Amino acid sequence: MKLWLPKSHAFMATPLAFRSIRRACFASSGLKWEGGVSMVQGASRGIGLEFVKQLLEKNDKGHVIATCRNPNGATGLVDLKNKFAERLNIMPIDLTIESTIEASAKFIREKYGSLNLLINASGILSIPNVLLPETTLSKVERSSLMLAYEVNAVGPILAIKHMWPLLKAGGGFGTERDVAVVANLSARVGSIGDNHLGGWHSYRSSKAALNQLTKTVSVEFARKRDPIICILLHPGTVDTDLSKPFQRNVPDGKLFTKEFSVQQLLSIINNAKSHDNGKFFAWDGQEIPW
């Protein structure tokens, strides 16, 4: 659906007027994706799965596309599919195989024609006998650096690349926002200015790369005046499989539940404005230095 506006230069739509016109169009259209279309990449468990759950529960009209490497093994997603059969679609994406991202984009284009929110939630920190956070330079390995970069930085940017036309078509239509949002899950340890401890070379550098790539994309979207903004989100230390081996030194009160963290992050996403494009936020809404 496209919004028609007069070509006359005498017509000057204020943001409030634009929102009113947009909502009126949607109210009269009866489109089945009123409420917006969201995609959560990396949705099989942890924070990604909780994003899917809250998006479906808190918006009774919104549709969600949840992606992961092995949908058949994602029991949490299967349970949600049984509960929200009409509004949840599950698609396979392996971030190391670009054709799977293209296939999901094709599915969304054919089913919905647009996208209003892309959340890149996937990430790796450690894999037994494959990838371990380095405590010293002597433990840095090329394979660990490349794997972390491929999954934590390259994959999310390729997802944005292929969802770009859909996000541009969707903008904020059907939502309370004026723009589509790309929300990439980063981490405070990816901040160069906030790095006072060192270590974790592969994870830190891959998240720093994600930050730079996301910032670069946000500049292009602004320059082209696309109705899309990109933000980076630090969820805090959340009680998930990713953080479990490293929770011993987390201060009291700083180990968050998935429910709390995602609630905080969705509040940031839902209240995001054009001037937030390219910013890096912590779970509490505070900006993090690059």
Side-chain angles (χ1 to χ4, degrees), residues 2-7 21 25:
K2 293 184 178 180
L3 178 64
W4 179 87
L5 291 175
K7 293 183 179 179
I21 294 170
C25 289

Side-chain angles (χ1 to χ4, degrees), residues 1-2 26 31-40 56 61-67 81 84-91 103-117 163 165-171 173:
M1 172 183 172
K2 293 184 178 180
F26 263 82
L31 294 175
K32 63 182 179 181
W33 50 88
E34 181 181 357
V37 181
S38 304
M39 172 178 160
V40 181
L56 290 166
K61 294 183 179 179
H63 288 246
V64 177
I65 300 94
T67 74
K81 178 65 175 176
F84 300 98
E86 297 299 317
R87 297 194 292 119
L88 174 61
N89 293 280
I90 305 173
M91 294 291 294
S104 288
K106 182 175 184 290
F107 170 83
I108 298 170
R109 182 173 63 251
E110 292 176 349
K111 186 173 181 65
Y112 296 108
S114 63
L115 195 61
N116 308 106
L117 172 63
M163 303 304 157
L166 295 163
L167 292 160
K168 186 174 179 180
F173 293 151

Side-chain angles (χ1 to χ4, degrees), residues 78-127:
V78 172
D79 290 342
L80 287 175
K81 178 65 175 176
N82 291 333
K83 185 177 180 181
F84 300 98
E86 297 299 317
R87 297 194 292 119
L88 174 61
N89 293 280
I90 305 173
M91 294 291 294
I93 281 185
D94 183 333
L95 290 182
T96 65
I97 304 174
E98 190 171 356
S99 60
T100 64
I101 304 174
E102 292 180 275
S104 288
K106 182 175 184 290
F107 170 83
I108 298 170
R109 182 173 63 251
E110 292 176 349
K111 186 173 181 65
Y112 296 108
S114 63
L115 195 61
N116 308 106
L117 172 63
L118 168 61
I119 298 174
N120 281 306
S122 64
I124 57 169
L125 172 58
S126 65
I127 302 174

Side-chain angles (χ1 to χ4, degrees), residues 186-196 204 207-208 211 280 288-290:
S186 185
R188 187 180 291 276
V189 296
S191 166
I192 295 173
D194 194 61
N195 184 358
H196 306 293
R204 281 187 188 274
K207 289 298 186 178
N211 292 354
F280 184 11
I288 298 175
W290 297 111

Side-chain angles (χ1 to χ4, degrees), residues 145-146 148-157 160 184-187 189-192 201-217 232 280 290:
L145 289 165
M146 298 306 292
Y149 185 73
E150 184 175 32
V151 175
N152 294 343
V154 176
I157 298 305
I160 300 173
N184 286 341
L185 260 63
S186 185
V189 296
S191 166
I192 295 173
H201 303 65
S202 297
Y203 189 70
R204 281 187 188 274
S205 59
S206 66
K207 289 298 186 178
L210 174 65
N211 292 354
Q212 179 67 283
L213 287 164
T214 305
K215 176 66 176 180
T216 300
V217 171
L232 291 142
F280 184 11
W290 297 111

Side-chain angles (χ1 to χ4, degrees), residues 216-275:
T216 300
V217 171
S218 75
V219 171
E220 180 173 358
F221 287 168
R223 185 172 62 243
K224 293 183 175 179
R225 298 186 178 181
D226 289 344
I228 314 167
I229 66 170
C230 296
I231 58 176
L232 291 142
L233 300 174
H234 165 56
T237 303
V238 183
D239 187 10
T240 64
D241 291 341
L242 182 143
S243 70
K244 204 166 289 294
F246 314 101
Q247 293 177 4
R248 184 177 58 186
N249 297 322
V250 177
D252 289 342
K254 291 299 183 180
L255 180 62
F256 302 143
T257 65
K258 299 184 292 289
E259 293 79 6
F260 173 79
S261 178
V262 169
Q263 179 181 335
Q264 294 292 113
L265 299 181
L266 277 178
S267 177
I268 295 172
I269 291 169
N270 291 334
N271 289 287
K273 303 291 189 294
S274 295
H275 60 75

Side-chain angles (χ1 to χ4, degrees), residues 129-162:
N129 302 316
V130 176
L131 174 64
L132 294 174
E134 306 90 345
T135 56
T136 174
L137 176 62
S138 63
K139 294 185 178 181
V140 172
E141 296 183 3
R142 174 184 173 84
S143 59
S144 297
L145 289 165
M146 298 306 292
L147 178 59
Y149 185 73
E150 184 175 32
V151 175
N152 294 343
V154 176
I157 298 305
L158 290 179
I160 300 173
K161 168 188 166 183
H162 290 289

